Amino acid sequence: QVQLVESGGGSVQAGGSMLLSCVDAGHTYSTHCMGWFRQIPGKEREGVAAIDTDGSTYYADSVKGRFIVSAADTNATVYLHMYNLKPEDTGMYFCAIEGGSWCHIRGTLRDNFEIWSQGTQLTVSS
């Protein structure tokens, strides 16, 4: 049963923007952190942004000032607004959810997400 339904992605030129959305179709947890991750070929998976049900957010240094994470629908839907995209943002993007209204400890994103979306490809051309 698919629990996280992700949409968005595709191709965009450098400097453009893109919106990804992720719906927790199963309303899995009463409180949670929902994170956005990307997998770039040849690199380790990177957590880029996250938001918990209290509205606290996390951003990787590589996307601060360019990406915004937000939630709606009583936190069942999370968005990743991406602006000023760069070719190095190209990769497969995933959302993930885990219980507990916390996403990071002292600036380090939690790493125990167990439910993941199917992923969507973002390609930024120069």
Side-chain angles (χ1 to χ4, degrees), residues 4-15:
L4 295 182
V5 181
E6 184 178 4
S7 60
S11 297
V12 65
Q13 289 193 324

Side-chain angles (χ1 to χ4, degrees), residues 6-12 18-21 82 91 93 120-123:
E6 184 178 4
S7 60
S11 297
V12 65
M18 181 67 71
L19 174 67
L20 302 182
S21 63
M82 301 182 287
Y93 283 72
T120 189
Q121 176 68 32
L122 171 68
T123 301

Side-chain angles (χ1 to χ4, degrees), residues 16-98:
S17 60
M18 181 67 71
L19 174 67
L20 302 182
S21 63
C22 182
V23 178
D24 176 18
H27 294 276
T28 310
Y29 303 106
S30 58
T31 62
H32 63 245
C33 171
M34 194 174 289
W36 288 99
F37 296 80
R38 64 186 179 190
Q39 183 71 60
I40 298 171
K43 295 187 177 182
E44 291 188 0
R45 185 179 65 198
E46 178 187 21
V48 296
I51 186 167
D52 66 29
T53 41
D54 289 334
S56 296
T57 58
Y58 163 90
Y59 295 98
D61 289 342
S62 57
V63 305
K64 281 181 181 176
R66 300 190 299 120
F67 290 12
I68 298 173
V69 60
S70 64
D73 303 326
T74 62
N75 298 301
T77 301
V78 173
Y79 301 98
L80 185 65
H81 308 255
M82 301 182 287
Y83 303 99
N84 190 22
L85 285 164
K86 304 175 181 181
E88 51 264 42
D89 293 317
T90 295
M92 186 71 76
Y93 283 72
F94 302 86
C95 61
I97 190 170
E98 188 52 57

